[in-house]
Amino acid sequence: NRKLDTATRFVISNTLFTIYHEVGHLLVDKQQWPVLGRDEDIADNFASYILLTQRRRSIERALKDAALGWRLEDEFYGSKRTASDYYDEHSLDLQRAYQIVCMMVGKDRRSFNVTAREWGIDRRRQAGCADQYKQISGSIEKLISPNRDKAALRPEVKIIYERAGAKYAIAYKTLRDSRLLESVAADLRTGYGLNGTIKIVASLCREPNAFYDNETSQIIIC
C-alpha cells in the first residue's frame, strides 16, 4: 500500500531525527559540552548536522520529513498557542522546521535549492544559512573530532523494547523492523568518546514523546 508506506516512512524519519535530538542532550550531559543558547536548539542542530553528514538520499528524505513534521505540529497546535509557548525551552514548532531546512540549504545550497524554494526561503537568507551551517558544523566538529581517536573508549549501549500490547503492535513492529535503535546504538559505541552504560528504551508513555534521563543515562522513545 503506497499510502501506508509513505506514512510509515514519515514516522520513521521523524523518529530518527528525534533520537538524534536526544543523543545531542546526552552528549551535552556526558561530555560537558559548552552551552551558549537553548539546550533544545543545540540538540536540534546536532541532529540535523549528524544526519547531513550521512550523505544518503534516504537521510535527506528523513530531514525533509522531520521539517514537515514540525510544520504539521504548528498547523495543528499553532492556533492554540499560549504565553507558555513563547517562554518554553523549545523554539516554536515552525521555527524548528525552518531551522532544519536552513541547515540543509546551508550544507549544500545547490542540492537543496528546490527545497529552499518550496519553503519560500529567499536567496538572501539562503546565503545566511550557509554562514550559519559553517558556524554550527565547525563548532560541533571541534567537540566531536577529539574523541574519534579514542578507540579504547567503548560504551555499553543496551537496547530495550518494552512490551507494547495489542493496541500499539504495529508501531512496535515498525520500530523494531526499522532497526533505528540498533543503528543509533552502533553509532554511539564509536566516535563520541563515551564510556559506561547507556540505554535506549522504547517504552509506553502517557503521550508521544522522547527524552533523555541524565540520572539513568537513558534515551527513552515513547
Side-chain angles (χ1 to χ4, degrees), residues 14 62-72 97-98 100-101 119:
N14 278 271
L63 282 166
K64 291 178 182 179
D65 282 344
L68 177 58
W70 286 120
R71 170 176 267 177
L72 293 175
Y98 274 103
I100 294 171
V101 177
W119 282 76

Side-chain angles (χ1 to χ4, degrees), residues 6-22 44 47 51 58-59 61-73 96-97 100 175 180 209-210 221:
T6 300
T8 301
R9 185 206 69 202
F10 180 79
V11 171
I12 290 173
S13 295
N14 278 271
T15 303
L16 177 63
F17 183 87
T18 298
I19 294 173
Y20 270 105
H21 172 98
E22 300 307 330
D44 271 1
L51 293 177
S58 60
I59 296 298
R61 181 69 262 174
L63 282 166
K64 291 178 182 179
D65 282 344
L68 177 58
W70 286 120
R71 170 176 267 177
L72 293 175
E73 286 267 347
R96 297 179 75 174
I100 294 171
L175 182 60
L180 285 186
N209 209 336
I221 307 298

